[in-house]
Amino acid sequence: MRSEIKKLAHVESGDLQKRADTLLQDLGDQQRSIMTDLHHLSLADGAGDWREKEAKDLSDLVQNRITYLQNPADCSKARKLVCNINKGCGYGCQLHHVVYCFMIAYGTQRTLILESHNWRYSSGGWETVFKPVSDSCTDRSGASTGHWSGEANDRDVQVVELPIVDSLHPRPPYLPLAIPEDLADRLHRLHGDPSVWWVSQFVKYLIRPQAWLDKEIRDTTAKLGFKHPIIGVHVRRTDKVGTEAAFHPIEEYMQHVEDHYQMLGRRMHVDKKRVYLATDDPSLLQEAKTKYPDYEFISDNSISWSAGLHNRYTENSLRGVILDIHFLSQTNFLVCTFSSQVCRVAYEIMQTLHPDASANFHSLDDIYYFGGQNAHNQIAIYTHEPRGGDEIPLEPGDVIGVAGNHWDGYSKGINRKTGRTGLYPSYKVKEKIETVKYPTYPEADKLLNQ
């Protein structure tokens, strides 16, 4: 490829575009070949079977610990953390709010009490849609109650009320993107993004469906004809565009859909190129069908209508967003904008369905983040000398606070040693995963091993 790029300097201007397009096509083919080889290599010598078993063992361990925490022997004496679901935002944001509460409950060894009556989506509360977070302890009463003032300061308070993460002070160490120290080695071996895996385990516990919802998911799967292979596309318009996110035409999404289908075609038989399209723009389905007749678009336009701002906080809208997230998480690959909570929740759930689905996405804007997270840092592994005024120097060992990935080979961040902010090559850094001494719940582990 180096020699082919050198030749471009001698190509006549009239032929330059054609030669450049051919070179890009060849590069794409070579990249797909390498990625396919890596995929098969990851399954060689029983590695795939080991991953399946290790992923199940780790998830079972965490789910058992959460269940143990949430069902104390005597609820009247249990230490409790109270979380009110009614944060002033949408479903994905509220779910992440409860995940944040759950992580702190798990870290401080307090049973989570979820207050959800008069939930803006369903007046009957969380338990009318999902299974209760506890089978035996839902009463928030206790000998003493207080507002969060820090784990050490609250040690003698039986019932602690937790604010939204924006108002949390002091901040405990249990916030994302940190992972438990006792699981860190296993997670690093298993998963490409341990922080997302850890978040996903709390999401997994929280969204266990009630029987009616489980039936609704099965019925809708059959009605839509949802089957694999299929790529998920989530297009958020309405309230996000112009405030939290830029407008992205359907062509931007479909470019990455086509790229991934070319990759999938090397691993499996692709009988039809299917796309599950989730959007709050009801006109987009017809536009996509018209522009891409070679694809089969699977979508429920009634969900798109229910996702509009005038319908958003209703039980029908809640059903729609839950179904969209479910089907997006079930796809082979996800193309979306990580500025959307819906997309990030789908990506988190995807991690619970595979040993490692950390690379099964393309975001058109943000990198993965969790609202209210602690600093996201990377560590430089190679030296970098700036080649322009917008780049920053790196030395091995430098800690970089990452602000975002430009998806062009460069990321933006601040070198915490020099204080300089700018661009740097993404391949010259690695993630700095923070570990925290979470409680290890040995009594729960004993029960699992019996």
Side-chain angles (χ1 to χ4, degrees), residues 51-67 106 183 186-187 190-191 197-205 348-349 351-355 445 448:
R51 264 192 202 86
E52 292 281 354
K53 183 179 185 304
E54 179 69 352
K56 182 181 184 306
D57 289 349
L58 271 170
S59 184
D60 287 350
L61 178 74
V62 174
Q63 295 301 307
N64 182 66
R65 289 179 179 182
I66 295 173
T67 302
Y106 185 98
L183 304 180
R186 294 175 70 181
L187 282 176
L190 174 71
H191 203 273
W197 186 93
W198 180 236
V199 170
S200 78
Q201 292 304 304
F202 291 92
V203 176
K204 178 178 180 177
Y205 185 90
E348 290 156 3
I349 298 171
Q351 308 313 308
T352 70
L353 305 175
H354 308 273
D445 292 356
L448 185 64

Side-chain angles (χ1 to χ4, degrees), residues 28-224:
D29 287 341
Q30 290 199 23
Q31 181 196 32
R32 284 185 283 274
S33 294
I34 292 169
M35 295 303 293
T36 301
D37 289 345
L38 287 172
H39 170 72
H40 291 307
L41 187 63
S42 72
L43 304 176
D45 297 328
D49 294 337
W50 171 82
R51 264 192 202 86
E52 292 281 354
K53 183 179 185 304
E54 179 69 352
K56 182 181 184 306
D57 289 349
L58 271 170
S59 184
D60 287 350
L61 178 74
V62 174
Q63 295 301 307
N64 182 66
R65 289 179 179 182
I66 295 173
T67 302
Y68 176 84
L69 173 68
Q70 287 303 109
N71 295 280
D74 187 345
C75 183
S76 66
K77 296 178 181 176
R79 287 155 44 86
K80 303 170 186 175
L81 190 78
V82 178
C83 178
N84 192 304
I85 196 172
N86 282 314
K87 185 178 181 181
C89 55
Y91 169 74
C93 168
Q94 290 184 340
L95 177 58
H96 280 142
H97 167 60
V98 180
V99 169
Y100 135 76
C101 293
F102 224 150
M103 286 181 152
I104 294 181
Y106 185 98
T108 56
Q109 300 183 76
R110 291 178 176 273
T111 299
L112 180 71
I113 306 294
L114 179 58
E115 294 192 325
S116 64
H117 291 298
N118 296 316
W119 184 20
R120 68 191 306 183
Y121 279 102
S122 180
S123 59
W126 183 264
E127 296 78 15
T128 62
V129 183
F130 302 106
K131 291 183 178 178
V133 296
S134 174
D135 295 324
S136 62
C137 191
T138 57
D139 180 5
R140 62 164 289 164
S141 62
S144 56
T145 302
H147 295 288
W148 172 266
S149 60
E151 184 176 8
N153 295 330
D154 294 336
R155 208 167 293 283
D156 297 326
V157 180
Q158 185 181 355
V159 182
V160 173
E161 297 177 348
L162 198 66
I164 62 173
V165 71
D166 316 66
S167 307
L168 186 66
H169 183 79
R171 289 168 64 90
Y174 310 114
L175 296 170
L177 301 163
I179 62 173
E181 185 179 86
D182 68 308
L183 304 180
D185 287 345
R186 294 175 70 181
L187 282 176
H188 280 296
R189 282 193 298 272
L190 174 71
H191 203 273
D193 195 334
S195 301
V196 179
W197 186 93
W198 180 236
V199 170
S200 78
Q201 292 304 304
F202 291 92
V203 176
K204 178 178 180 177
Y205 185 90
L206 283 167
I207 63 165
R208 296 165 298 148
Q210 290 284 13
W212 74 264
L213 178 58
D214 188 53
K215 182 177 185 299
E216 181 82 8
I217 290 171
R218 285 186 278 108
D219 290 349
T220 307
T221 300
K223 174 187 165 188
L224 293 177

